[in-house]
């Protein structure tokens, strides 16, 4: 059986994956991470767990032979719960979820849990490794110090920089509920003092030709180009934007491959930009990044490739 860890609002990507497994006659269980709460009955022992989900489906972890950690969402707190108890509720259910996940670490995952957590939670580490593997990265400052940010702006940004959160707040690739990347110029710097309440990542603004979303899957590349040169984030830009297939240079592929291997990731959604100076800039890799738009718009068989990867590794326990 393949376990897919996702969330209750997930569709399309997960449906493609499960439909393909049905064709292959591979048993499959969908576990909604946000519903790992009072809606599910969960019992964990020292070497296995048993679970009945919100729809009454039952899972014994001893039947799980591989895991796709598609995406985890925050655990939902019941509306009827006393507000004073909410922190305890979230803390204990987060501990239960972590214990449940780690019981499965010995079976193949699309990305090993600990490697994924380390990379997803550390954008500076990502940039360090990208640079090590001969990728060009923007100069970067992650800070809550207004004085240092002003110095960075004056010394490294040529009058224009971007500011973004370490983790994007968004529920979709369509831009709904998205706290986007912002452009900061000299006039905006006067408002930077409040940064002590919310540290952010700062980088020089790079004049770009276009953006690339690259799905890496164990040496294979599925790359989409979007014709967005005017906005910092194509997900919220209004305009006639469209995806097209893109052939990455072999040197970029080689660097990304060795970087991903050192990160310990089988899969990731990589963001890069092609700048007007002709360079390719690495921005980040999201181990759980979105790719449905590439399969839908460009016909890339990404869901099927993910399933095939797990099916193969199930047989060899790689």
């Amino acid at each position: 059986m393949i376990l897919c860890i996702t969330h209750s609002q997930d569709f399309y990507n997960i449906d493609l994956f499960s439909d393909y497994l049905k064709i292959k006659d591979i048993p499959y269980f969908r576990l909604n991470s946000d519903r790992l709460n009072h809606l599910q009955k969960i019992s964990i022992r020292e070497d296995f767990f048993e679970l009945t989900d919100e729809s009454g489906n039952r899972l014994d972890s001893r039947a799980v032979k591989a895991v796709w950690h598609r995406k985890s969402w925050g655990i939902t707190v019941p509306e009827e719960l006393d507000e004073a108890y909410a922190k305890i509720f979230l803390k204990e259910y987060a501990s239960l979820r972590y214990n449940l996940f780690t019981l499965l670490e010995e079976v193949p995952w699309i990305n090993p849990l600990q490697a994924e957590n380390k990379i997803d939670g550390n954008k500076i580490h990502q940039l360090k490794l990208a640079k090590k593997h001969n990728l060009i990265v923007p100069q970067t400052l992650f800070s809550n110090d207004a004085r240092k940010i002003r110095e960075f702006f004056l010394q490294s940004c040529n009058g224009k920089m971007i500011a973004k959160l370490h983790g994007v707040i968004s529920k979709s690739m369509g831009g709904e509920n998205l706290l986007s990347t912002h452009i900061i110029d000299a006039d905006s710097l006067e408002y930077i003092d409040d940064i002590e309440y919310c540290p952010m990542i700062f980088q020089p603004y790079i004049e770009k030709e276009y953006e690339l979303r690259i799905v890496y899957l164990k040496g294979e590349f599925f790359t989409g180009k979007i014709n967005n040169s005017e906005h910092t984030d194509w997900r919220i830009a209004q305009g006639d934007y469209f995806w097209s297939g893109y052939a990455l240079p072999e040197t970029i592929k080689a660097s990304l491959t060795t970087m991903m291997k050192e990160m310990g990731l089988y899969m990731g959604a990589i963001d890069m930009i092609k700048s007007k100076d002709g360079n390719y800039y690495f921005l980040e890799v999201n181990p759980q990044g979105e790719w449905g738009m590439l399969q839908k718009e460009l016909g890339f068989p990404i869901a099927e490739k993910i399933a095939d990867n797990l099916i193969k590794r199930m047989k060899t326990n790689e």
Side-chain angles (χ1 to χ4, degrees):
M1 174 187 288
I2 292 180
L3 172 65
C4 180
I5 301 168
T6 184
H7 57 83
S8 59
Q9 302 303 308
D10 195 13
F11 62 96
Y12 187 70
N13 302 47
I14 196 69
D15 294 338
L16 291 171
F17 181 78
S18 60
D19 289 346
Y20 185 72
L21 290 181
K22 289 175 185 175
I23 293 172
K24 292 287 186 177
D25 198 27
I26 302 293
Y28 158 86
F29 192 95
R30 171 177 178 155
L31 181 59
N32 290 323
S33 56
D34 53 325
R35 301 296 178 88
L36 270 168
N37 55 13
H38 64 295
L39 298 175
Q40 303 194 10
K41 302 302 180 185
I42 307 161
S43 295
I44 303 177
R45 304 292 293 270
E46 65 274 11
D47 52 5
F48 71 96
F49 66 82
E50 296 173 295
L51 179 150
T52 303
D53 72 10
E54 64 272 29
S55 300
N57 302 306
R58 299 183 66 186
L59 173 67
D60 186 321
S61 67
R62 289 168 289 192
V64 175
K65 304 303 179 186
V67 178
W68 178 28
H69 189 202
R70 151 80 178 137
K71 193 177 290 289
S72 286
W73 267 18
I75 296 166
T76 304
V77 178
E79 293 182 3
E80 67 272 16
L81 188 67
D82 189 293
E83 187 175 336
Y85 198 71
K87 288 184 179 180
I88 297 174
F89 179 94
L90 288 172
K91 181 178 182 298
E92 294 307 313
Y93 270 107
S95 295
L96 183 145
R97 185 164 82 174
Y98 182 72
N99 277 264
L100 184 150
F101 286 4
T102 53
L103 268 178
L104 295 168
E105 283 187 309
E106 293 184 3
V107 303
W109 288 54
I110 274 295
N111 287 317
L113 183 62
Q114 299 304 331
E116 182 172 279
N117 287 342
K118 179 179 180 180
I119 295 303
D120 193 39
N122 196 335
K123 296 295 191 292
I124 299 299
H125 182 59
Q126 290 186 21
L127 296 173
K128 178 181 177 181
L129 290 181
K131 190 173 181 180
K132 175 182 175 181
H133 291 278
N134 301 313
L135 294 164
I136 301 172
V137 303
Q139 293 187 64
T140 302
L141 176 68
F142 189 11
S143 180
N144 71 342
D145 186 330
R147 183 177 65 84
K148 291 291 186 181
I149 294 165
R150 288 189 175 97
E151 288 179 0
F152 180 75
F153 178 84
L154 293 172
Q155 296 171 6
S156 305
C157 296
N158 198 27
K160 202 174 184 181
M161 73 179 175
I162 61 168
K164 56 187 177 182
L165 294 177
H166 186 281
V168 173
I169 300 175
S170 174
K171 291 186 178 180
S172 80
M173 288 303 287
E176 295 86 356
N177 302 313
L178 178 70
L179 184 56
S180 176
T181 300
H182 294 282
I183 297 177
I184 293 179
D185 56 21
D187 292 336
S188 308
L189 280 177
E190 64 179 289
Y191 303 108
I192 208 69
D193 288 329
D194 287 341
I195 193 66
E196 64 188 42
Y197 298 107
C198 183
M200 298 184 78
I201 290 177
F202 299 90
Q203 295 172 329
Y205 180 81
I206 299 171
E207 297 287 345
K208 61 190 173 187
E209 289 188 30
Y210 43 78
E211 300 175 50
L212 300 173
R213 171 58 60 96
I214 304 158
V215 175
Y216 170 92
L217 183 56
K218 202 181 179 187
E220 291 190 81
F221 292 86
F222 304 94
T223 304
K225 165 190 167 183
I226 192 164
N227 61 325
N228 172 36
S229 62
E230 300 175 2
H231 299 276
T232 58
D233 197 322
W234 59 265
R235 288 168 293 185
I236 63 168
Q238 301 297 316
D240 187 20
Y241 298 113
F242 57 88
W243 290 98
S244 57
Y246 191 81
L248 279 176
E250 292 301 319
T251 53
I252 300 296
K253 286 184 180 180
S255 292
L256 289 174
T257 298
T258 56
M259 181 195 74
M260 294 293 282
K261 286 181 178 179
E262 181 165 351
M263 289 178 173
L265 301 179
Y266 285 87
M267 179 183 180
I270 299 163
D271 286 330
M272 299 187 74
I273 59 175
K274 174 72 177 301
S275 69
K276 290 185 177 180
D277 63 14
N279 289 316
Y280 289 86
Y281 285 85
F282 172 90
L283 300 181
E284 66 176 327
V285 55
N286 185 342
Q288 300 174 5
E290 293 292 344
W291 45 263
M293 65 288 190
L294 299 185
Q295 180 143 3
K296 183 177 181 180
E297 300 296 330
L298 303 177
F300 293 151
I302 300 172
E304 295 82 357
K305 290 289 186 176
I306 293 170
D308 285 340
N309 179 279
L310 283 177
I311 293 168
K312 179 181 178 180
R313 292 165 59 207
M314 279 171 53
K315 296 176 181 179
T316 60
N317 200 35
E318 179 187 342

